[in-house]
């Protein structure tokens, strides 16, 4: 490989090597998938120490340009664009890759976009995405209310509005939250464009590069990505069917410092567990003892199927340490793009500054529409209507799993949310299974991206929200049949699946 080193240049040698390889990758001279020379041979060729090449390759890996595989050397990542944008152009493509900031490489970028992409295919049975069932969207009511908004409030609906959220919306939200046992005034609320934006804004408000954040393991990918962008490290606490293991949290807090605790205590995504009452109190006690804020993501709190409503951590908090995140997405429909942060005024003011930079304010039209849905108990009635529907879908999926009776396949009965979290019989891996079921028209979410620091390959998340009775049963049948086939093949032929499939979600 031709690399010209300038020994008198102030740029360190390893950076000169990294920069020149980067240019070769960007202009297509080193295409996707091509193998870089071994560290030893390049070191010999350039007359430098091997550790210099190791460092250059590490930099390229951190840039997301190359991947090192034990026994297969270092290769240019296959996800890089290698063709010019205009196929009729002779110009080499502009070298974007090295301009992208490093945080963007730290995210599981393909995963969320991939799930949303999968939705658009009509031919798939998709258990991948946890979006609500469109049949539950209150279409007629919204049609009517949109007309009302446009007839009577069209000026405010179509105008810019306050960064913190429209007063009428914040007031209506506070009344709604009061019925849930939380006492907030409009100054405690920041209305956001979905609770995904709440997570991003909170991350940018609270996290300094290198800070540790306590997260559940597994946890929501969108939160991990938001925290990664702010350069957080993760202290994962395992969950079981009763939610976060607060006994383990206590042990960790004795030894490690953290910035805050991120948790989904009700109908957790993806593990579908709900934190039991004792652990709720224990968690709040620990947060107080160690002076740690709790970020409570209650995206699925409205979809709890138990006989009694579960009190949110925010409703149990007496010291203002809980920051409460809510969302309209599972309650009504995700296209509204409404979420909220409820917390102490000081924090809300700081978050509002970031929000202003991000998008000035959340859609005025959506806020006015939702404010109307809050009125006259419309939203409560809607929620009372959709809970039994999802519970029924959950039962259909549970029955299908039970009927298939795959040896070693484990799950628990979720008491809320849109997912079943299952553990595959060893040694079947979710990515290998997905590669096979996808060819048969069924997809699901493999567990690994939900694990902050790696692992989780044997787990799958199955969303039951979007499909009909027949489709759920058929889809589960296909998945279970494939698991059984894989188990049989493993026994018969001693096949190592990890060596033949290299699947990334698209
Ligand atoms: N938090 C959790 C736990 C989620 O599962 C999701 C999306 N499914 C979000 C936040 C973001 O939701 P939205 O931006 O649509 O409110």
């Amino acid at each position: 490989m031709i690399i010209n080193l300038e020994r008198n240049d102030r740029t360190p040698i390893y950076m000169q090597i990294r920069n020149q390889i980067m240019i070769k990758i960007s202009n297509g001279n080193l295409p996707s998938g091509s193998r870089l020379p071994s560290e030893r041979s390049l070191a010999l060729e350039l007359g430098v120490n091997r550790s210099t090449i190791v460092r250059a390759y590490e930099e390229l890996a951190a840039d997301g340009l190359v991947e090192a595989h034990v026994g297969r050397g270092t290769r240019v990542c296959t996800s890089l664009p290698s063709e010019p944008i205009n196929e009729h152009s002779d110009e080499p493509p502009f070298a974007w890759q090295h301009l992208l900031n490093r945080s963007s490489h730290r995210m599981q970028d393909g995963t969320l976009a991939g799930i949303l992409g999968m939705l658009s295919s009509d031919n798939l049975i998709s258990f991948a995405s946890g979006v609500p069932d469109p049949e539950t969207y209150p279409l007629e009511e919204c049609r009517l209310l949109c007309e009302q908004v446009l007839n009577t409030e069209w000026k405010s609906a179509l105008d810019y509005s306050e960064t913190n959220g429209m007063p009428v919306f914040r007031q209506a939200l506070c009344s709604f939250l009061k019925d849930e046992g939380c006492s907030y005034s409009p100054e405690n609320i920041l209305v956001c464009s979905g609770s995904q934006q709440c997570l991003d804004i909170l991350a940018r408000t609270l996290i300094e590069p290198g800070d540790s954040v306590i997260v559940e393991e597994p946890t929501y990918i969108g939160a991990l990505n938001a925290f990664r962008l702010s350069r957080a490290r993760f202290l994962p606490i395992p969950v079981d069917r009763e939610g976060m293991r607060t006994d383990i949290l206590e042990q960790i807090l004795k030894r490690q410092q953290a910035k805050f605790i991120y948790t989904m205590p009700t109908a957790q995504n993806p593990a579908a567990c709900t934190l039991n009452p004792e652990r709720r109190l224990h968690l709040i006690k620990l947060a107080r003892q160690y002076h740690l804020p709790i970020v409570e993501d209650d995206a699925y709190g409205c979809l709890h199927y138990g006989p009694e409503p579960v009190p949110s951590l925010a409703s149990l908090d007496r010291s203002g340490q809980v920051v409460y995140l809510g969302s309209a997405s599972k309650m009504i429909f995700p296209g509204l793009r409404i979420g909220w942060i409820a917390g102490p005024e000081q924090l809300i003011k700081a978050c509002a500054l970031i929000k202003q930079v991000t998008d000035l304010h959340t859609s005025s039209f959506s806020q006015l529409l939702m404010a109307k849905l809050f009125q006259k108990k419309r939203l409560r009635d809607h929620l009372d209507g959709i809970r039994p529907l999802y519970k029924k879908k959950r039962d259909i999926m549970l029955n299908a799993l039970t009927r298939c009776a795959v040896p070693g396949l484990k799950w628990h009965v979720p008491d809320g949310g849109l997912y079943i979290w299952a553990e595959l019989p060893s040694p079947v891996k979710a990515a290998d299974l997905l590669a096979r079921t996808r060819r048969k028209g069924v997809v699901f979410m493999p567990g690994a991206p939900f694990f902050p620091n790696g692992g989780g390959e044997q787990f799958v998340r199955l969303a039951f929200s979007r499909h009909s009775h027949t489709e759920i049963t058929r889809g589960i049948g296909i998945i279970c049949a494939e698991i059984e086939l894989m188990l049989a093949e493993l026994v018969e032929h001693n096949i190592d699946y990890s060596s033949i499939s290299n699947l990334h979600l698209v």
Side-chain angles (χ1 to χ4, degrees), residues 112 130-131 193-199 220-223 262 264 267-269 297-300 325-330 333-335 337-340 419 461:
L112 272 191
V131 286
S193 303
S195 57
Q196 184 61 41
Q197 190 183 54
C198 304
L199 290 164
Y220 172 50
I221 302 167
Y262 169 70
M264 288 162 277
Q268 205 255 19
N269 176 12
D297 184 342
D298 202 25
Y300 299 87
L325 311 188
S327 167
S329 295
K330 318 293 168 189
F333 50 84
R337 303 315 301 135
I338 287 196
W340 48 88
Y419 313 112
R461 190 193 73 178

Side-chain angles (χ1 to χ4, degrees), residues 46-112:
L46 301 179
V48 298
N49 203 303
R50 189 174 158 212
S51 62
T52 308
I53 308 295
V54 170
R55 189 128 184 237
Y57 283 9
E58 279 173 0
E59 288 294 317
L60 289 162
D63 290 328
L65 291 170
V66 303
E67 282 168 335
H69 297 280
V70 180
R72 286 195 288 140
T74 302
R75 288 176 188 272
V76 178
C77 290
T78 45
S79 55
L80 299 173
S82 54
E83 299 296 325
I85 288 176
N86 177 350
E87 60 186 57
H88 304 299
S89 163
D90 295 334
E91 294 278 323
F94 182 73
W96 274 107
Q97 191 63 31
H98 71 283
L99 298 175
L100 306 179
N101 90 29
R102 286 189 181 195
S103 304
S104 59
H105 304 309
R106 291 159 58 91
M107 303 197 305
Q108 303 269 356
D109 65 322
T111 314
L112 272 191

Side-chain angles (χ1 to χ4, degrees), residues 190 201 205 344-355:
L190 178 70
I201 289 176
T205 309
E345 213 178 319
Q346 195 183 1
L347 174 74
I348 295 298
K349 276 189 179 150
C351 289
L353 293 176
I354 306 274
K355 162 86 180 163

